[in-house]
Amino acid sequence: MPWDRNQMAARAAEELEDGMYVNLGIGIPTLVANYVGDKDITLQSENGMLGMGPFPIDGEEDPDLINAGKQTITELPRTSYFDSATSFGMIRGGKIAAAILGAMEVAENGDLANWMIPGKLVKGMGGAMDLVAGVGKVVVVMDHQNKAGESKLLKECTLPLTGTGVVDRIITNLGVLDVVEGGLKIVECADGVTEEQIRDATEATIV
Amino acid sequence: MKKVYGSAAEALDGLLHDGMFIAAGGFGLCGIPELLLAAIRDAGTKDLTFASNNAGVDDFGIGILLQTKQVKKMISSYVGENKEFMRQYLSGELELEFNPQGTLAERMRAGGSGIPGFYTKTGVGTQIAEGKEHKDFPTGPDGANETYIMERGIVADLSIVKAWKADDTGNLVFRKTARNFNPPAAMCGKVCVAEVEEIVPRGSLDPDTIHLPGIYVHRVIQGEHEKRIEQRTVREKA
């Protein structure tokens, strides 16, 4: 059985180590926060916060306290606030250990496309280009194939890039792959999924 | 030195002209200068260029100036929440320059700090890098070269920002994540107007907790803010 969204998030949480400062993207990456367990992880929200807490209890929403997805959130005893230039200073300066984010396409050389579909989706890159260029480790969490059944792990990206050679690890519903010299390397299969199935579902070179 | 004004319209008097370049604080609808934006709409100033992370929603934030077609160009990192924006952009009525979010923030901070340009890895190898100067620096492992692109500092004709509190000398204190782009936006304007929830007498703010010194702030108004929430998300009581 391929992993579902929560299982992918749980697997992505295993990438995080005690003491890390981490930025989580929108979608499945947001769910990763539910699976960090006892690890001491500090979540960054790039609109200007370290130590992001859970959603507020109904009635306690604060319009001055949102995450980068513009959702109402809460603070924790460790929380600090800062402006956007400082926030991206810590991202660009390599202080954030890891970013876990979604993607439309990943290429076998680590190129990432996740911000634009020409003529269709013109929303903007937000902080994604800064994050992938600046953080220590970039982990992509996404479905292995698109709705048409085509591989999202490609020899070359077809969509406008977010960054070149930036992805370190890809966690899909089928398994875990690393970007290595010459292509992608399967490091783990989802329960009941075979390496053969992953190869069949992947356009990128598997080494 | 009189910095406190009676209303947003009074505070903007003499500062607005068609075709001007305005830097605005805020992230989404959080910490946006909503009163000053409404006053710019009422003033009818046209052909505006805005440096602002987002473009508001259809009926709030910069969105209200898109409805009245007062905006010529946006410099933003994310504009996904605004249908009128999409319509004007796709029909060619509105110019759009996408900047990565951190690049936009740093362009403002740099412009306000006398730094005309800086090098960043953000966007190297993407369409953001097209036409920009590329330069290698030995910043990689064992001194290996890495490629950077040059981004320019922003200096705006006017900055409009929102803070929580000000004193009458323009010292500002922000609240939680409503700080966001407001300090860098304030820094990069030749003139900066701030709207706040409360103006307090000088001496009432702890000098150690002032987030933006009044040297960056030329005019201040106090007003009532709607502070709209864009995505209300809650959890069950445990």
Side-chain angles (χ1 to χ4, degrees), chain B residues 140-222:
Chain B
D142 301 324
N145 272 337
E146 295 183 302
T147 302
Y148 292 73
I149 53 173
M150 192 185 73
E151 295 282 2
R152 300 284 305 273
I154 285 175
V155 178
D157 297 318
L158 171 68
S159 296
I160 54 173
V161 299
K162 153 78 172 55
W164 182 38
K165 290 183 180 180
D167 66 18
D168 63 298
T169 73
N171 290 319
L172 299 185
V173 176
F174 300 90
R175 188 170 174 275
K176 301 185 188 286
T177 57
R179 192 181 322 183
N180 57 56
F181 270 84
N182 283 296
M187 291 168 75
C188 79
K190 292 173 191 160
V191 182
C192 174
V193 182
E195 59 180 69
V196 302
E197 295 174 45
E198 186 183 5
I199 298 176
V200 298
R202 66 185 71 184
S204 355
L205 298 175
D206 178 352
D208 267 334
T209 63
I210 287 165
H211 297 134
L212 189 74
I215 192 168
Y216 294 109
V217 180
H218 305 92
R219 301 183 181 188
V220 185
I221 58 155
Q222 176 181 309

Side-chain angles (χ1 to χ4, degrees), chain A residues 55 61-62 64 72 122-123, chain B residues 79 86 175 232-233 235:
Chain A
F55 294 152
E61 312 92 275
D62 183 341
D64 289 337
T72 46
V122 194
K123 292 187 169 187
Chain B
V79 295
M86 281 300 136
R175 188 170 174 275
R232 187 179 301 273
T233 42
R235 71 187 142 103

Side-chain angles (χ1 to χ4, degrees), chain A residues 46-49 54-75 81-86 88-89 92 115-116 119-120 122-131 133-134 160-164, chain B residues 27-28 30-31 54 76-81 86 89-90 96 98-103 105-106 109 120-128 162 175-181 183-184 197 227-238:
Chain A
E46 67 265 26
N47 53 319
M49 180 184 200
F55 294 152
I57 290 164
D58 196 0
E60 294 182 2
E61 312 92 275
D62 183 341
D64 289 337
L65 183 45
I66 64 168
N67 64 18
K70 285 122 187 175
Q71 298 170 313
T72 46
I73 49 166
T74 55
E75 64 186 24
Y81 299 110
F82 34 84
D83 67 70
S84 298
T86 305
F88 283 92
R92 202 185 297 105
W115 75 281
M116 185 191 198
K120 267 193 187 166
V122 194
K123 292 187 169 187
M125 72 291 285
M129 285 191 182
D130 310 274
L131 280 160
L161 296 179
T162 308
T164 55
Chain B
F27 181 92
C30 181
N54 311 94
S76 303
S77 87
Y78 191 84
V79 295
E81 315 304 338
M86 281 300 136
Y89 173 64
L90 293 171
L96 171 61
F98 273 131
N99 278 197
Q101 194 174 138
T103 293
E106 189 64 15
R109 195 196 70 81
T120 177
K121 268 192 265 186
T122 302
V124 170
T126 75
Q127 65 184 50
I128 295 303
K162 153 78 172 55
R175 188 170 174 275
K176 301 185 188 286
T177 57
R179 192 181 322 183
N180 57 56
F181 270 84
E197 295 174 45
K227 299 214 285 184
R228 193 183 293 187
I229 291 175
E230 198 163 341
Q231 306 264 358
R232 187 179 301 273
T233 42
V234 296
R235 71 187 142 103
E236 297 294 315
K237 213 166 192 166

Side-chain angles (χ1 to χ4, degrees), chain A residues 3 5 15 29-30 32 37 48 56 60 81 87 100 118-119 133-134 167-168 195:
Chain A
W3 286 324
R5 288 162 57 87
E15 302 297 316
T30 304
V32 173
E60 294 182 2
Y81 299 110
S87 181
I100 301 178
V167 176
D168 296 293
E195 284 203 16

